[in-house]
Amino acid sequence: MSKLLDKAKELLTKHDRSVDKGLNKAGEQADQRTDQKYTEHIDKGVQEAKKHTGESDTTK
């Protein structure tokens, strides 16, 4: 199982910007579906997830 986790971490690091874009889109969809009731919580969750995607810039 650790080989699978290592591979997943490697892919996340290699494709950090794409993963971050996907996280942003997922956050936007969640925000729309909840009628912006939880925007602050969703944004916080997206930012926390971005911290774990690799070493490149997570603000884009």
Side-chain angles (χ1 to χ4, degrees), residues 5 28 37 42 49:
L5 290 175
E28 290 169 8
K37 288 182 181 179
I42 292 168

Side-chain angles (χ1 to χ4, degrees), residues 19-50:
V19 172
D20 288 349
K21 285 181 184 179
L23 288 169
N24 285 336
K25 286 183 181 183
E28 290 169 8
Q29 284 293 314
D31 200 30
Q32 286 178 349
R33 291 179 184 209
T34 60
D35 293 323
Q36 291 78 32
K37 288 182 181 179
Y38 306 103
T39 300
E40 189 175 317
H41 298 289
I42 292 168
D43 288 346
K44 184 177 178 181
V46 168
Q47 291 304 317
E48 287 298 314
K50 285 182 178 182

Side-chain angles (χ1 to χ4, degrees), residues 3-4 6-7 9 13-14 16-17 20-24 28 32-33 35-36 41 46-47 50-51 53-55 57 60:
K3 286 184 181 182
L4 179 63
D6 290 341
K7 185 65 175 178
K9 287 178 186 178
T13 300
K14 283 184 179 179
D16 179 45
R17 288 196 176 120
D20 288 349
K21 285 181 184 179
L23 288 169
N24 285 336
E28 290 169 8
Q32 286 178 349
R33 291 179 184 209
D35 293 323
Q36 291 78 32
H41 298 289
V46 168
Q47 291 304 317
K50 285 182 178 182
K51 289 180 182 178
T53 60
E55 296 181 11
D57 183 12
K60 293 181 182 177

